[in-house]
Amino acid sequence: MNKHESLWLVWQNVNTRLFYHVGTLSFYDSQYTFQYTYRSNGPQKINDAIKNGYLLHPMFPDLKKEYKSKNLFGAFKRRLPSEIRVDFKEILSDLSLSEGYSEMELLERTRGKLGGDQYSFEKPLKIIDGILKTSFYINGMSYQDLPQNWFEVLKSNKKVILKLEPENPVDENAIAIYTGFNIKLGYVPRFYASGISALINNGMSPKISVNYINESSTSSWWVKLDFECEVPEINKINLSQMDPIFESVV
């Protein structure tokens, strides 16, 4: 069976600093597809983004079209490091990729980020055998009152805690992330927050762990977390709260 791979295309409004899941890139059966999230009227999707200043990507000008290609779309391929770079093997090593990597894997690890750019690719929330899984970098760390040795504290005790912030003035679904010593690190990315907060509010207990710490990088790459949560009674949860957050994988 062919493996279905997908990544969320995320756009950031430079004025508000808020993020939106504007489209999904998929690869299955030797074909790439890209489509905007126009079917969802939920927050942090394309319709919400357009209301807040987003302009459709010039390479994908039709909001409702499903774009297809046998090769990775040029607009996305240019976001990958070039194989002719003299340090390309070192880049693969830093990303923990072997030479048999796929372009989707490389796009996932690099997040397709370019300097000063408003786009990034992020892993979707996927349900695999009843377990919801993803990984993400903590948002907003540069805006927190962190101690200078925050990374040493986190490396010595990698316990992290999620705390809902229903009174948050920007997002009622905001989820703050704290160390085991009650140091606020930042937030769960906003485009995941409505789904994860719905799980927590329905009695689920997510497991979250530190995957990666790189204090010498820019703040959006400082801390990567792994997330998973059992969802044994998914049909009993109000899915409208998560529209359409989750992707199922058989």
Side-chain angles (χ1 to χ4, degrees):
M1 180 180 292
N2 291 320
K3 180 181 178 182
H4 182 278
E5 300 175 85
S6 58
L7 292 170
W8 287 357
L9 179 64
V10 171
W11 171 77
Q12 183 181 31
N13 183 311
V14 294
N15 296 317
T16 65
R17 311 301 298 172
L18 298 180
F19 294 87
Y20 300 84
H21 169 205
V22 297
T24 299
L25 172 69
S26 299
F27 181 72
Y28 179 73
D29 197 19
S30 302
Q31 181 170 259
Y32 292 92
T33 62
F34 175 77
Q35 190 164 33
Y36 291 112
T37 56
Y38 75 94
R39 289 191 175 92
S40 172
N41 289 316
Q44 292 85 59
K45 301 297 181 179
I46 185 68
N47 296 314
D48 194 14
I50 289 173
K51 293 176 183 177
N52 288 278
Y54 180 72
L55 299 176
L56 299 184
H57 194 290
M59 297 302 296
F60 307 102
D62 190 335
L63 179 64
K64 297 184 179 181
K65 180 177 178 179
E66 182 180 42
Y67 293 88
K68 299 180 180 181
S69 175
K70 288 295 183 182
N71 300 307
L72 181 61
F73 300 100
F76 301 151
K77 189 176 181 67
R78 72 180 185 84
R79 295 175 170 276
L80 299 177
S82 173
E83 295 181 355
I84 65 173
R85 289 180 54 156
V86 295
D87 60 346
F88 187 71
K89 288 187 177 180
E90 286 75 14
I91 291 174
L92 291 183
S93 178
D94 289 343
L95 296 172
S96 300
L97 287 175
S98 65
E99 291 189 8
Y101 71 92
S102 71
E103 289 182 316
M104 287 292 281
E105 288 175 323
L106 187 56
L107 197 57
E108 175 196 321
R109 300 294 174 87
T110 62
R111 300 164 72 193
K113 289 180 71 69
L114 301 176
D117 188 38
Q118 293 174 259
Y119 286 109
S120 66
F121 281 94
E122 309 293 348
K123 291 183 67 174
L125 288 165
K126 284 192 174 182
I127 299 174
I128 305 174
D129 297 327
I131 304 294
L132 182 70
K133 297 182 178 182
T134 194
S135 60
F136 55 81
Y137 287 84
I138 298 177
N139 271 7
M141 291 193 69
S142 62
Y143 298 99
Q144 307 307 315
D145 186 21
L146 297 172
Q148 288 189 341
N149 68 333
W150 66 265
F151 50 91
E152 295 175 350
V153 173
L154 192 56
K155 287 177 180 178
S156 66
N157 183 343
K158 293 187 176 182
K159 180 180 179 180
V160 287
I161 302 167
L162 301 181
K163 294 185 180 181
L164 300 181
E165 287 189 354
E167 304 302 321
N168 187 291
V170 176
D171 183 6
E172 63 181 10
N173 294 309
I175 307 172
I177 302 169
Y178 288 79
T179 69
F181 296 105
N182 206 38
I183 297 172
K184 187 175 182 178
L185 295 171
Y187 288 88
V188 170
R190 190 169 179 245
F191 42 87
Y192 297 133
S194 61
I196 294 177
S197 64
L199 284 171
I200 295 172
N201 286 325
N202 279 276
M204 303 302 176
S205 301
K207 296 179 181 178
I208 192 163
S209 58
V210 176
N211 173 296
Y212 172 84
I213 301 171
N214 184 2
E215 70 281 1
S216 62
S217 184
T218 56
S219 61
S220 61
W221 296 86
W222 276 350
V223 181
K224 184 179 183 180
L225 302 178
D226 287 332
F227 173 95
E228 65 177 54
C229 183
E230 292 187 9
V231 280
E233 299 183 62
I234 187 71
N235 293 328
K236 294 183 179 180
I237 295 175
N238 182 0
L239 293 177
S240 65
Q241 293 177 276
M242 310 175 206
D243 173 41
I245 297 295
F246 301 149
E247 295 185 11
S248 295
V249 177
V250 178

